[in-house]
Amino acid sequence: MSKQAAETASGPLSLVARLLAEYCARNGLRLEIDPEIGHAGYIEAPNGRRSWFKGTHFDLNPLGAAEIANDKAYAAHFLKQAGFNVPRGVLVSAPAMIDAICRKNPARAGKMTGPDQALSFAEKAGFPVFIKPNDGQEGIDVVKVSSPYQLETGLARLFGHHDHLLVQEAVSGRDIRIVVLEGKVLCAVERRSAEVRGDGVRTVEALLEHMPGQTRADYRLLSELAEQGLTLESVPETGQSVRLLPAANLSSGGTGSIVTDALCGAFKEIAVSAGEVLGLTYFGVDMLVPDLSDPAGGYTILEVNAAPGLNQLHRLGAEQAAVAEAAYSRVFDALARRLAS
């Protein structure tokens, strides 16, 4: 691969773009990519057909299906309607958004849910509950709250830059992402929240020194520590696990291990069916399960992602990198088949 194919004006290509460039070079396809950051472009087959991509969004899913998956409330609604287990929740709109809609369409505004209804839901469901952007990604701005006051302040904070928030009940279980392509499971990853372990000597603040800067600076850190009765000055006991953030996303400092073989077939079938119900071909299903090998314990689908990224998984170690590269290779094969048909 040429230096021009390996780099953009701002430096080396992203993982997806680099792997795609290598794939195209091996398979006689032409890659056209934006020269600044290598985030978007298309691949072109000898017959002149093109397949476009942006980030981890590929020409594999219908646009409408991808939009539904990106809307957490809609996705949960249609999954529940199809018989899948999802958390109870309520979609809450910012008061400013409700006011704006009211001026244009009072009837529609009258059906929208505001912060007062969120409190009613939380009290009925029981604290803690989670607040998350309805169209959010990578666990950004996912907040766990344990009281009416925290709920009120959490909504106020997030409404500063999100128009719609989803308030959901807390569900326990092991956090699994199952990546699916054309009805086949590519991989299953167990995700764990960012954490440190006590040594009986250092404070939490000292233990955080090796964590990524974005984790140390995350505004959710202090409240997550408070949930465990800790502060930055606390000295955890030797071996004590200290959870740092409410979400288990790899992009927010979490860790992940490959559990494809350990995950029972029933959960894999549920994941495949859930994405297909939403009309998707390539997707990731985030699921909580008490036991990887026993479907009798039940499951809860948190969300379905129409553009599952594997970049963070790739950085975790040799095994994870090999799995991520193999998965992307199969995605590129699917794109190439469509170009050739």
Side-chain angles (χ1 to χ4, degrees), residues 72 87 90-92 130-136 139-143 155 158 162 164-169 302-303:
K72 299 183 194 307
V90 60
L91 180 65
V92 186
F130 282 88
I131 310 172
K132 58 181 68 174
N134 191 50
D135 58 353
I140 296 172
D141 282 342
V142 174
V143 179
L155 291 173
L158 295 180
H162 299 287
H164 305 287
L165 301 171
L166 189 60
V167 179
Q168 287 183 322
E169 67 176 335
L302 297 179
E303 59 184 77

Side-chain angles (χ1 to χ4, degrees), residues 4-341:
Q4 289 76 16
E7 295 185 356
T8 64
S10 59
L13 290 173
S14 67
L15 172 67
V16 171
R18 176 176 63 80
L19 294 177
L20 188 55
E22 294 170 355
Y23 182 90
C24 289
R26 291 195 306 269
N27 291 276
L29 302 170
R30 186 171 77 88
L31 174 64
E32 184 68 28
I33 196 167
D34 75 277
E36 291 301 320
I37 59 175
H39 186 65
Y42 62 84
I43 58 176
E44 184 176 88
N47 61 14
R49 297 189 64 181
R50 294 176 178 178
S51 180
W52 294 82
F53 69 93
K54 181 179 180 183
T56 57
H57 292 262
F58 302 105
D59 277 344
L60 291 171
N61 293 319
L63 177 59
E67 287 293 307
I68 290 295
N70 189 52
D71 188 304
K72 299 183 194 307
Y74 270 137
H77 167 78
F78 289 115
L79 287 172
K80 181 179 180 180
Q81 188 179 64
F84 294 95
N85 298 334
V86 299
R88 290 177 295 166
V90 60
L91 180 65
V92 186
S93 299
M97 169 61 65
I98 296 176
D99 290 343
I101 296 296
C102 187
R103 289 192 290 271
K104 300 177 182 179
N105 189 336
R108 179 186 171 194
K111 298 178 181 179
M112 298 174 74
T113 301
D116 289 344
Q117 291 91 335
L119 177 58
S120 298
F121 166 79
E123 290 177 335
K124 181 178 180 180
F127 287 99
V129 294
F130 282 88
I131 310 172
K132 58 181 68 174
N134 191 50
D135 58 353
Q137 298 177 349
E138 299 184 339
I140 296 172
D141 282 342
V142 174
V143 179
K144 182 170 66 176
V145 298
S146 299
S147 69
Y149 173 75
Q150 289 183 358
L151 177 61
E152 180 182 358
T153 56
L155 291 173
R157 174 194 285 271
L158 295 180
F159 278 144
H161 43 284
H162 299 287
D163 290 331
H164 305 287
L165 301 171
L166 189 60
V167 179
Q168 287 183 322
E169 67 176 335
V171 180
S172 62
R174 298 169 69 173
D175 189 312
I176 311 298
R177 166 163 287 190
I178 305 169
V179 182
V180 178
L181 171 68
E182 297 177 329
K184 303 294 184 182
V185 172
L186 299 183
C187 64
V189 181
E190 180 171 8
R191 306 183 299 177
R192 300 178 183 86
S193 301
E195 65 177 21
V196 293
R197 290 193 176 273
D199 58 10
V201 177
R202 289 180 291 174
T203 64
V204 172
E205 186 170 22
L207 292 169
L208 285 170
E209 289 180 356
H210 74 281
M211 296 299 295
Q214 66 183 38
T215 302
R216 297 197 306 270
D218 197 299
Y219 71 90
R220 300 171 294 177
L221 174 61
L222 294 181
S223 60
E224 196 65 22
L225 292 176
E227 282 285 325
Q228 302 162 83
L230 301 170
T231 68
L232 290 173
E233 290 73 38
S234 299
V235 179
E237 297 178 1
T238 301
Q240 179 181 349
S241 175
V242 178
R243 189 179 61 255
L244 303 178
L245 296 175
N249 299 73
L250 305 185
S251 57
S252 57
T255 59
S257 55
I258 307 301
V259 295
T260 312
D261 294 337
L263 190 67
C264 75
F267 289 139
K268 294 176 182 178
E269 291 175 6
I270 289 168
V272 170
S273 298
E276 291 180 345
V277 158
L278 297 181
L280 299 171
T281 298
Y282 173 56
F283 54 90
V285 176
D286 294 343
M287 180 186 297
L288 295 179
V289 300
D291 188 328
L292 297 182
S293 61
D294 186 4
Y299 72 92
T300 303
I301 295 177
L302 297 179
E303 59 184 77
V304 178
N305 191 317
L310 300 172
N311 294 23
Q312 301 295 337
L313 178 68
H314 190 273
R315 297 188 179 105
L316 293 179
E319 180 189 14
Q320 293 93 327
V323 168
E325 292 187 20
Y328 276 132
S329 180
R330 290 175 64 178
V331 169
F332 302 157
D333 284 343
L335 293 173
R337 287 195 299 271
R338 292 193 177 200
L339 288 173
S341 63

